[in-house]
Amino acid sequence: MPGQRPCPVFRQHDRRVRTLLDVESDASLWEQAGAGSGAAFGVLFDRHSRAVYNHCFRLTASWATAEDLTSATFLLAWRQRGRMRLVNASMRPWLLAVATNAVRSERRSLARRLRLAERVPADRPAADHADDVAGRVDDERRMAAVLAELHTLAPAEQEAVALCLWSGLSYAEAADALGIAEVSVRSRVSRARAKLRAALAPTFAEEQS
Amino acid sequence: VNLPPERDLPPAAHTALRERVVAEVGAPPRRRWVPLAAAAAALAVVGGSAVAVGRDRGPDRAPAVTGAPAAPCRADVGRPEVGVTFDDDFGSLVLRAGPRGDIVCAVSPDGAVTLRESAGNGQFSAEPLGREAAALNAFVYGSGGAVGDDGQRLAGLMAAGYVRADVARVVVAWPGWAAVDAAIDGPLYVARVVQPVGTIPPGLLAGTATAYDRDGQELGSVPLTHQAGTDPVTRHRCAAADATATGSGLLARFTDAHGVVVWVGDAKDSTLCEFDERDGVVSEGQLGTMDPAGYLPGRRAAVQPRSWGNGELGPGGPATRHAAGQVRRGVTRLVITWAGAPPVTVPVKGPYWVARVVLPAGDHPVQTPAEVLAYDAAGTLVGRDQILG
């Protein structure tokens, strides 16, 4: 409504959030969240949800599923907060590792949910006009094609590719987040690269022609 | 690889998800335990608390000792009866033993019995330690799994045994992983520790139980060797497997109306994993570690059970009996009859088999014998054996 001024309480809240977002480290926010600060946890969500969302999409080829998994990742992260480990002062590597596990669980329960879905009428999806729906559909088709090749790799190699090559974690960060040796991550990525290169070569040649 | 560009969460979704996760911070902890299955002749452990890692003398908090065994864990174990209860953040682990047997129960904080199982296969009926004996022993070293309602996989380890009268404290430790003060009551001690599966270091197989007197002087220690049941490594295997496990790692699969049991591993080390559907929850667990190599001796019996176990399909749910083993070539079908249950027919394709029967919920005997009959393709009975506890 024109002329209406925001409630002072909300302005104060906004300022607090902005301060947290700009200044506070992940460790500090996590500590505040552990003390019961929803605002601090919200800032962590704002800071890392995009990375988690895109990581989940790359592992599922579904933006809708990625939304669910983003939520699940942060809920799991909170419930597993005793296991949280900062890597280079950032929660992101650990969150991506949690997201990877969430995707794995999602795959396991997929068949069960599909059976359930057969019995439950689907809600009509609400269109989000601000969003590029067609672009997202194209994304999903393209990602599904990539995943078809990725799934020929061993699960550990798939995770290494998603974390290091797609989500930009260093080998050391991925190793810390997964709780394994850095050399193991390197070796998985190396093996995956070789396999993917061989598998995708014909596809690239076709696209270029 | 030409990946699609990164995108932001749709604004409406961002707001909704953010509200949901922020609300979680202020919510009370929720945890629903799903006990899975017990190891053959050992037990599963559900719930528990993990404490400081790597302490030589264990945590500082006082042992949780209570007197009377929890009412839900009553069983006819004979007289005289001894019992001990280990309390932690997630409920209690109750161990009772007598001349006729023993039983262990996991009791959730709201009083529900989530596990009821034979603990030491009668070993606890042995006499408590005398004055000249070692300070303690370890009769049971079992493990199991559980999932919370958030899907988090947890693995539990338990140790229990007798202590000498001068023992005031027992610390159960898995070096580099966890340590916990055991509860001591009379001649018995029991402890459990549960951690997320992912925290278990590869190769962690054995722990140590150490006894101290009232002055903190060490009286002795015993290794917690893998006597029966599962070890943490097998837990990793089940966590990695799923109901559709295939390939050389799959020894046998059994499917019934409640879900799937798969036996995975190799000739030296294998694991049973259970995947069930109940109230929409998929549970997983280990039944035991078995060595399928070379157990068909000399004359190669037509059928030979290798291991058995009990469990439940979720807290308070139907009870289960499991068995697994091997058959001679030519056997195509097994019929297994557990006492009081309808026969279970098991199609056999390879040298290995696994089977399960699901019984109504409620108290069930600590141990149950069963008979297994083996048939060839012509329907001829070619062998039989008993599955003993």
Side-chain angles (χ1 to χ4, degrees), chain B residues 122-367:
Chain B
Q123 296 175 88
F124 276 100
S125 61
E127 288 293 318
L129 300 175
R131 189 177 299 175
E132 304 302 323
L136 78 169
N137 61 27
F139 271 142
V140 171
Y141 173 34
S143 60
V147 292
D149 60 356
D150 55 3
Q152 180 186 16
R153 275 192 206 88
L154 298 174
L157 293 178
M158 166 189 169
Y162 282 110
V163 289
R164 211 168 52 196
D166 56 338
V167 172
R169 184 186 193 193
V170 172
V171 175
V172 175
W174 288 268
W177 185 55
V180 65
D181 254 324
I184 304 174
D185 198 347
L188 285 180
Y189 77 90
V190 64
R192 69 178 175 183
V193 60
V194 170
Q195 291 254 23
V197 168
T199 68
I200 300 175
L204 176 68
L205 288 171
T208 305
T210 306
Y212 302 89
D213 66 12
R214 294 185 189 283
D215 299 324
Q217 296 298 312
E218 182 177 327
L219 299 176
S221 65
V222 291
L224 300 174
T225 52
H226 185 220
Q227 299 169 342
T230 59
D231 61 72
V233 174
T234 66
R235 191 164 307 103
H236 281 293
R237 182 180 285 145
C238 268
D242 63 27
T244 61
T246 57
S248 59
L250 176 69
L251 299 177
R253 173 191 287 115
F254 178 80
T255 303
D256 61 20
H258 298 269
V260 177
V261 180
V262 295
W263 186 9
V264 295
D266 55 38
K268 292 183 179 177
D269 184 18
S270 65
T271 304
L272 290 186
C273 311
E274 191 173 42
F275 303 88
D276 293 309
E277 284 194 48
R278 181 172 177 272
D279 298 334
V281 175
V282 175
S283 61
E284 305 167 21
Q286 295 79 39
L287 302 184
T289 299
M290 290 168 281
D291 177 4
Y295 76 83
L296 285 178
R299 295 164 55 197
R300 295 178 65 85
V303 58
Q304 196 162 2
R306 177 61 181 170
S307 183
W308 69 281
N310 293 340
E312 287 177 346
L313 294 180
T320 58
R321 304 279 184 274
H322 309 81
Q326 202 166 346
V327 291
R328 191 175 62 199
R329 184 184 301 231
V331 174
T332 60
R333 180 169 57 97
L334 301 177
V335 176
I336 304 175
T337 306
W338 276 271
V344 175
T345 299
V346 187
V348 179
K349 289 182 181 175
Y352 302 107
W353 59 270
V354 59
R356 171 177 69 182
V357 66
V358 181
L359 304 168
D363 286 357
H364 48 275
V366 173
Q367 297 173 7

Side-chain angles (χ1 to χ4, degrees), chain A residues 50 58 79 108 115 139, chain B residues 6-8 30 153:
Chain A
R50 179 185 163 100
R58 294 185 201 108
R79 292 170 192 172
R108 186 166 290 158
R115 284 197 294 277
D139 291 349
Chain B
E6 290 206 348
R7 292 181 181 273
D8 289 323
R30 296 177 298 132
R153 275 192 206 88

Side-chain angles (χ1 to χ4, degrees), chain A residues 16 20 28-34 37-45:
Chain A
R16 169 68 177 153
L20 289 171
S28 172
L29 289 168
W30 188 251
E31 189 177 345
Q32 293 173 52
S37 169
F41 198 60
V43 173
L44 286 169
F45 181 84

Side-chain angles (χ1 to χ4, degrees), chain A residues 41-198:
Chain A
F41 198 60
V43 173
L44 286 169
F45 181 84
D46 293 339
R47 190 176 284 176
H48 298 300
S49 58
R50 179 185 163 100
V52 170
Y53 177 53
N54 283 279
H55 181 70
C56 291
F57 169 72
R58 294 185 201 108
L59 290 173
T60 62
S62 164
W63 289 113
T65 303
E67 278 183 27
D68 293 343
L69 287 167
T70 300
S71 172
T73 296
F74 279 87
L75 293 174
L76 278 171
W78 176 248
R79 292 170 192 172
Q80 299 175 5
R81 51 192 176 277
R83 298 170 54 191
M84 197 279 283
R85 60 182 104 180
L86 290 170
V87 179
N88 293 334
S90 172
M91 276 185 64
R92 183 167 303 186
W94 180 69
L95 281 170
L96 295 183
V98 173
T100 304
N101 289 333
V103 170
R104 200 184 302 140
S105 299
E106 170 75 9
R107 285 179 187 144
R108 186 166 290 158
S109 61
L110 182 61
R112 175 165 50 85
R113 290 190 295 105
L114 286 176
R115 284 197 294 277
L116 180 65
E118 289 172 1
R119 300 196 295 268
V120 180
D123 289 335
R124 187 174 180 178
D128 188 342
H129 298 291
D131 203 28
D132 178 5
V133 176
R136 285 175 180 265
V137 171
D138 290 342
D139 291 349
E140 292 180 347
R141 189 176 296 123
R142 198 150 96 200
M143 198 68 229
V146 174
L147 282 186
E149 298 297 342
L150 188 76
H151 287 166
T152 61
L153 304 178
E157 293 169 352
Q158 295 177 32
E159 292 172 6
V161 166
L163 289 170
C164 296
L165 302 186
W166 295 353
S167 288
L169 295 190
S170 68
Y171 295 136
E173 288 172 333
D176 271 355
L178 294 171
I180 60 177
E182 183 179 335
V183 66
S184 301
V185 178
R186 282 182 184 277
S187 132
R188 289 173 189 180
V189 171
S190 175
R191 282 199 306 269
R193 273 185 199 276
K195 291 178 186 174
L196 283 178
R197 193 176 295 125

